[in-house]
């Protein structure tokens, strides 16, 4: 049967923090359901509504539009305590979310011991990843190792106790080896399990729910977290997160068939940023990096860490276009470049042997040795924050967007020129 609704995947096309939250919020105006398909509280999605700023970590970014159903799919690792803190925080700010949130019975529970282990391993590691410390890696390890605890396990207390005991004692053994005390773990586990009934009350069969909605002609957004270059398989391994952030993960992470997906929109910043360890091929000079960080407010929404800044890397976004099958892109933060006399785009990588390549290499370590090949374009040196139509953008800004579109190989469908909902230019 052919689905009559629409299902659009929103995916980060760089190293995360591209402005997915802002774009999902804008597009949520015209959809019925927004679902997260992977990741956990490592994400920090910022949404501005009027003068209010919301940073959402686990709740989908459609929550600020009344009536939209917000789901967390099976691909998510759910930190239950943090989730309900966020939930209560949103309610306390006057948002009615009663009956609007559903969590997959198949979602994995991210336990306090995962978080302890993440921090301990990172602390002891010779090659640091610079994780967010939210327990993401250990939770997905337990999932892949078939030791994970799922929402559905909360339905049977005996089975739950056994599964937790097995997973927890393994983690405690590792903490012991690392010489890290399992401080406050009992208390944290009690707090987590005390929320079981509350969680079961909103548990849902997310895949069938989305499929049924599509059959009824409803519109759905699947909201990715992190970005393509942080994908476990396709990113700059091992400097990645532990889930499939790319569009393929949207089907497996929600439980719908890939043929239900009608559009895949890649979110790209007008430049590139990265937080955590790992190479950033188009990194700016220290002076420019500091300048752009200040202009763009580039500090992590989850950890507050400064984000490294680089020029727009078209080698990466072209790769993202291929990996995700992008049908369009949304370019965010164009306004951040409003005062720049010139802007650069990395169009290829020059390898140590002098050869140029236009493909993103699988060998992550080679990225530290490449020299980006830049194209320099004149800046527009004019404010864009009030522009609402493409033709009203300065000529040089349009030329910059045209070049991004051409090199990325995906049409620009939206341009964001500020944090506000209204600061968006729809195209076509
Ligand atoms: P996400 O993780 O992809 O949702 O992105 P983050 O929320 O972590 O980071 C994006 C930041 O840029 C947030 O502070 C947003 O409020 C902000 N932002 C989003 N779009 C724009 C834009 O077009 N212009 C400016 N100046 N800021 C933006
Ligand atoms: P959103 O959804 C940017 C990075 C971390 C680290 C690596 C692994 O807001 O775009 P993890 O805690 O996942 O094991 O860390 O991934 N990272 C992000 N960087 N945006 C994010 O999410 C990120 N989530 C994780 O900094 O380098
Ligand atoms: Mg973010």
């Amino acid at each position: 049967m052919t689905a009559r609704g629409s299902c659009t995947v929103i995916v980060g096309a760089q190293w995360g923090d591209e402005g997915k939250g802002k774009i999902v919020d804008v597009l949520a105006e015209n959809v019925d359901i927004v679902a997260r398909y992977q990741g956990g509280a490592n994400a920090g999605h910022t949404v501005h509504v009027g003068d209010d700023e919301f940073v959402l970590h686990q709740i989908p970014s459609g929550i600020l539009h009344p009536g939209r159903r917000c789901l967390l799919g099976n691909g998510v690792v759910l930190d239950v305590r943090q989730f309900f803190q966020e939930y209560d925080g949103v309610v306390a700010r006057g948002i009615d979310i009663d009956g609007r949130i559903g969590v997959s019975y198949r979602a994995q529970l991210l336990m306090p011991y995962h978080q302890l282990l993440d921090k301990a391993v990172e602390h002891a590691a010779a090659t640091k990843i610079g994780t967010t410390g939210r327990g993401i890696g250990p939770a997905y390890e337990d999932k892949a190792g078939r030791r994970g605890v799922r929402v559905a396990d909360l339905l049977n207390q005996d089975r739950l106790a056994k599964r937790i005991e097995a997973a927890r004692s393994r983690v405690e053994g590792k903490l012991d080896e690392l010489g890290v005390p399992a401080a406050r773990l009992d208390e944290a586990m009690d707090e987590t399990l005390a929320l079981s009934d509350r969680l079961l009350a909103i548990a849902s069969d997310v895949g069938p729910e989305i499929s049924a909605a599509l059959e009824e002609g409803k519109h759905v957004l699947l909201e990715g977290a992190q970005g393509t270059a942080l994908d476990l398989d396709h990113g700059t391994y091992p400097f990645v997160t532990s889930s499939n952030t790319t569009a393929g993960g949207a089907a497996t992470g929600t439980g719908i068939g890939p043929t239900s997906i009608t559009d895949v929109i890649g979110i790209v910043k007008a430049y590139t940023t990265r937080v955590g360890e790992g190479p950033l091929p188009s990194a700016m000079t220290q002076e420019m990096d500091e300048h752009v960080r200040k202009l763009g407010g580039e500090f992590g929404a989850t950890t507050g860490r400064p984000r490294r800044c680089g020029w727009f890397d078209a080698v990466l976004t072209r790769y993202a276009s291929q990996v995700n099958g992008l049908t369009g892109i949304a370019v965010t933060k164009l306004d951040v470049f409003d005062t720049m006399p010139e802007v650069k785009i990395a169009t290829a990588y020059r390898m140590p042997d002098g050869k140029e390549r236009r493909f993103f290499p699988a060998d992550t370590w080679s990225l530290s040795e490449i020299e980006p090949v830049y194209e320099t374009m004149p800046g527009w040196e004019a404010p864009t924050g009030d522009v609402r139509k493409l033709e009203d953008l300065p000529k040089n800004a349009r030329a910059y967007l045209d070049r991004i579109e051409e090199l990325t190989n995906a049409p620009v469908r939206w341009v964001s020129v500020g944090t506000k909902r209204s600061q968006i230019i729809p195209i076509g």
Side-chain angles (χ1 to χ4, degrees), residues 15-17 20 42-45 129-132 226 240-241 275-276 305:
W15 273 283
D17 302 329
K20 298 176 292 294
N42 50 348
H45 296 179
I129 307 298
T131 73
T132 58
Q226 292 78 56
V240 292
T241 191
V275 62
R305 293 177 292 177

